[in-house]
Amino acid sequence: MTKKINILANLKSDFASGLVVFLVALPLCLGIAMASGAPLFSGIIAGIIGGIVVGYLSQSQLSVSGPAAGLTAIVLTAITDLGAFNIFLTAVFIAGLIQLLLGFIKAGSISNYFPTNVIEGMLAGIGIIIILKQLPHAFGYDSDFEGDEAFLQLDGSNTVSALTALLNHVQLGSIIITVLSLTILIAWDKIPALKKLKLIPGALVAVILGVVLNEIFTATGSMLTIQKQHLVSLPVPTSVEELKAIITLPDFTAVTNSKVWVIALTIAIVASIETLLCIEAADRMDAQKRYTDTNIELKAQGIGNMLSSLLGGLPMTSVVVRTSANNNAGAKSKMSTMIHGVMLLLSVMIIPAILNKIPLATLAAVLLMVGYKLAKPATFVHFWEKGKYQFVPFIATLVGVVFTDLLKGVALGIVISIIFVLKGNLKRAYSFRKEAYADGDIIHIDLAQEVSFLNKAAIKSTLKEIPENSKVIINAQDTVYIAHDILDLIHEFKSIRAKQEGIKVKLKGFKKSYQLENADEFPNKVTFEQYYDVAKRVIVKKELFPE
């Protein structure tokens, strides 16, 4: 039974963290909409729905949903192919329906198979991306859009070349504001007296300072003044007609267009996988170790995307960057996510002109702190100490996420993890030892609790190396499952090769384990229940093959 949580119990800390997430999410929503070739307000609409609606329906206490950088290329291509934004919105609505269906058929359960080291590698990779992408903004060089996570940028440059190019575009005012903002954020995090001011987050103080400083620079005509292109750029409606024009309705007459369905399926699959990955990451971050029902999450995302499309919003997912900012700001419940959504709604309606005074350098400082906490050196040391089978998939995922994208990086990490599992199973299905006796050696092969077809090659190789005139004891007393392939292999060894080469073979435990009348006839005597066990058990007894 899921424990009910009072989302009003931690209102002070949740309000402060919701405010921080709002400040981070605002430029990200605008930047992703711009990169997607969609109306700017479509990103804000998705952020509002993701915060209020999905935040309320989701069981995750930390996850924050909104427009995602991982969907920008899909959205941009889709709008171009379909020729109209309102037709694209129909695809988003259908994608939401598909996600809703995935939730009902419990497809969210696949998240249980994401390895921890891969999830941690993904988080560390996102942390490094945030740092690399925000450094140019911190220096006053805004060549890419806020929220860009791709290595290759839209202007033809890449993450590394943008870092070298920033040296030719340094803006001293931005550097001053970045340094002061970082100082405030670090002090708020380290000084006990400041940490007690939970209702006033350091990010808000940094933002206010950045705005005030730039206003002073502007009023005095200083060369340090940060120009408009380096500030938040939220559209400001000047009339009711302009406000009405913000909402674009989907064109449901395009439902018969096959391209719409292909795009809808693509969005549903990519958005669902990214959401499940983020939910796993959010649960890993949660200090209270609360676990999210991922099937309910898919339903919440589906409803969110359907509603977003009806109001002219972009498709959304649960987003790692905003979720990490939420956790780092001290969120205790999903009330923080909902507060950030309400703030997005109120701000664009009431104070857009004030928001447009916020320097991007200040927000870069906030995100740099988020990036550092995701990619702390301690995380690398932790996985290094766990050994290569944990460290290699972790690093591979990190590198893949940084230089390709989130899904490809995670896929690479999972593939490497699977290879390591297969390699480990090949070696650990049995132990091998020798005992000397008067006329030769006794060779003991002790099978593990479960032996699958994956172990066939290793066992076959071991049997092949057994010398002539040896005595072999194959012990299955502790084995509860053994694949038919392995039974055939042992049977052929005992009945054919052993007789030809004078090898004496003794089978122990096979009658008891496999209900055999005669050990020589065991290949056809394995029960259905023993075969079924492999689908729900893992190898428990894993003994290393000694030299």
Side-chain angles (χ1 to χ4, degrees):
M1 182 182 292
T2 303
K3 182 181 178 181
K4 289 186 177 181
I5 297 172
N6 181 5
I7 59 175
L8 298 176
N10 301 284
L11 191 56
K12 285 186 179 180
S13 57
D14 284 340
F15 181 83
S17 56
L19 181 56
V20 172
V21 179
F22 155 69
L23 293 171
V24 169
L26 179 64
L28 297 184
C29 289
L30 294 170
I32 290 168
M34 184 182 299
S36 301
L40 288 182
F41 264 110
S42 65
I44 298 293
I45 291 168
I48 293 169
I49 301 299
I52 300 174
V53 178
V54 178
Y56 175 76
L57 295 175
S58 171
Q59 283 190 349
S60 176
Q61 300 303 315
L62 295 179
S63 170
V64 182
S65 295
L71 294 176
T72 51
I74 296 172
V75 174
L76 181 62
T77 304
I79 294 174
T80 303
D81 287 349
L82 295 174
F85 184 63
N86 59 348
I87 296 177
F88 168 74
L89 292 177
T90 304
V92 177
F93 185 87
I94 296 171
L97 280 174
I98 295 172
Q99 286 186 295
L100 194 59
L101 176 62
L102 291 174
F104 278 111
I105 65 174
K106 302 190 183 303
S109 302
I110 65 170
S111 65
N112 296 323
Y113 299 97
F114 298 147
T116 298
N117 52 357
V118 171
I119 295 297
E120 292 287 352
M122 178 191 76
L123 289 174
I126 292 292
I128 290 173
I129 288 174
I130 292 172
I131 293 170
L132 296 178
K133 291 290 188 180
Q134 291 302 319
L135 280 174
H137 295 299
F139 281 79
Y141 179 46
D142 304 301
S143 61
D144 62 345
F145 65 91
E146 280 287 357
D148 185 16
E149 295 175 2
F151 181 73
L152 298 176
Q153 296 177 185
L154 295 177
D155 60 0
S157 61
N158 59 53
T159 302
V160 176
S161 63
L163 288 174
T164 56
L166 73 83
L167 297 176
N168 299 320
H169 300 84
V170 173
Q171 213 283 330
L172 188 57
S174 293
I175 294 177
I176 291 172
I177 287 176
T178 298
V179 171
L180 290 175
S181 297
L182 282 173
T183 302
I184 290 170
L185 292 168
I186 293 170
W188 230 261
D189 203 33
K190 299 293 184 183
I191 300 175
L194 295 176
K195 288 177 72 175
K196 291 179 180 179
L197 299 174
K198 292 183 179 180
L199 195 59
I200 308 175
L204 177 61
V205 177
V207 166
I208 293 173
L209 177 66
V211 170
V212 171
L213 271 179
N214 194 49
E215 288 297 302
I216 293 173
F217 294 156
T218 303
T220 58
S222 171
M223 61 178 293
L224 299 176
T225 301
I226 299 175
Q227 301 302 320
K228 184 178 179 181
Q229 64 267 31
H230 304 301
L231 305 174
V232 169
S233 182
L234 184 66
V236 182
T238 56
S239 66
V240 176
E241 286 70 25
E242 286 186 21
L243 194 60
K244 288 180 179 178
I246 291 172
I247 298 178
T248 305
L249 300 177
D251 179 8
F252 286 111
T253 61
V255 75
T256 56
N257 187 338
S258 60
K259 284 185 178 180
V260 169
W261 285 89
V262 171
I263 291 168
L265 184 61
T266 303
I267 292 173
I269 292 172
V270 174
S272 297
I273 293 173
E274 289 206 11
T275 290
L276 294 177
L277 287 167
C278 183
I279 290 299
E280 284 297 305
D283 287 351
R284 291 281 304 166
M285 295 177 200
D286 190 356
Q288 298 181 46
K289 296 305 173 189
R290 295 163 291 189
Y291 294 104
T292 305
D293 187 325
T294 48
N295 296 309
I296 291 178
E297 183 65 30
L298 287 179
K299 294 175 186 176
Q301 294 289 333
I303 293 171
N305 275 321
M306 291 164 65
L307 187 55
S308 180
S309 70
L310 292 174
L311 296 174
L314 288 176
M316 71 186 75
T317 73
S318 178
V319 187
V320 173
V321 176
R322 272 160 267 191
T323 301
S324 303
N326 193 34
N327 178 63
N328 292 336
K332 301 296 182 185
S333 77
K334 61 183 181 180
M335 177 56 74
S336 172
T337 302
M338 295 166 65
I339 288 171
H340 120 273
V342 172
M343 287 184 175
L344 280 174
L345 176 61
L346 294 177
S347 64
V348 298
M349 292 176 62
I350 301 172
I351 54 168
I354 295 176
L355 296 176
N356 286 344
K357 296 180 182 294
I358 300 175
L360 293 178
T362 295
L363 300 178
V366 175
L367 287 168
L368 284 171
M369 290 293 291
V370 172
Y372 173 76
K373 290 181 178 181
L374 286 174
K376 288 187 294 188
T379 305
F380 292 79
V381 173
H382 171 73
F383 281 99
W384 174 262
E385 291 175 347
K386 282 195 167 188
K388 64 180 180 180
Y389 290 106
Q390 289 292 314
F391 185 72
V392 173
F394 167 80
I395 286 295
T397 304
L398 183 153
V399 172
V401 167
V402 171
F403 290 101
T404 58
D405 59 44
L406 186 147
L407 293 184
K408 291 175 184 174
V410 168
L412 175 64
I414 289 175
V415 167
I416 292 175
S417 294
I418 290 172
I419 291 172
F420 280 171
V421 168
L422 296 181
K423 186 177 178 182
N425 283 345
L426 290 177
K427 293 183 177 181
R428 298 171 188 174
Y430 57 92
S431 62
F432 178 83
R433 52 196 168 88
K434 287 185 179 181
E435 291 179 3
Y437 74 109
D439 299 321
D441 290 333
I442 299 178
I443 298 171
H444 293 264
I445 298 176
D446 299 323
L447 300 182
Q449 188 169 352
E450 296 193 16
V451 186
S452 74
F453 72 95
L454 299 173
N455 312 119
K456 181 177 179 179
I459 293 176
K460 188 175 184 179
S461 176
T462 298
L463 295 177
K464 184 179 178 181
E465 297 300 320
I466 292 176
E468 296 181 0
N469 303 314
S470 300
K471 183 174 181 181
V472 180
I473 299 175
I474 303 177
N475 185 0
Q477 287 181 323
D478 295 329
T479 306
V480 295
Y481 168 80
I482 186 167
H484 199 284
D485 287 4
I486 307 300
L487 292 171
D488 278 340
L489 186 65
I490 296 172
H491 175 66
E492 289 168 3
F493 172 76
K494 182 179 186 297
S495 60
I496 302 174
R497 182 168 163 250
K499 290 180 179 179
Q500 292 174 347
E501 299 182 6
I503 300 171
K504 295 181 180 179
V505 180
K506 181 178 180 182
L507 303 180
K508 291 179 64 177
F510 283 89
K511 279 188 178 182
K512 177 181 177 182
S513 300
Y514 301 103
Q515 302 173 5
L516 306 177
E517 297 297 329
N518 186 317
D520 286 339
E521 297 175 0
F522 63 78
N524 297 317
K525 298 292 184 179
V526 182
T527 66
F528 171 80
E529 286 75 14
Q530 289 163 339
Y531 274 105
Y532 179 73
D533 274 350
V534 76
K536 60 180 181 179
R537 300 176 66 91
V538 294
I539 295 176
V540 177
K541 182 180 178 183
K542 296 182 178 180
E543 300 179 78
L544 293 175
F545 197 125
E547 297 294 331

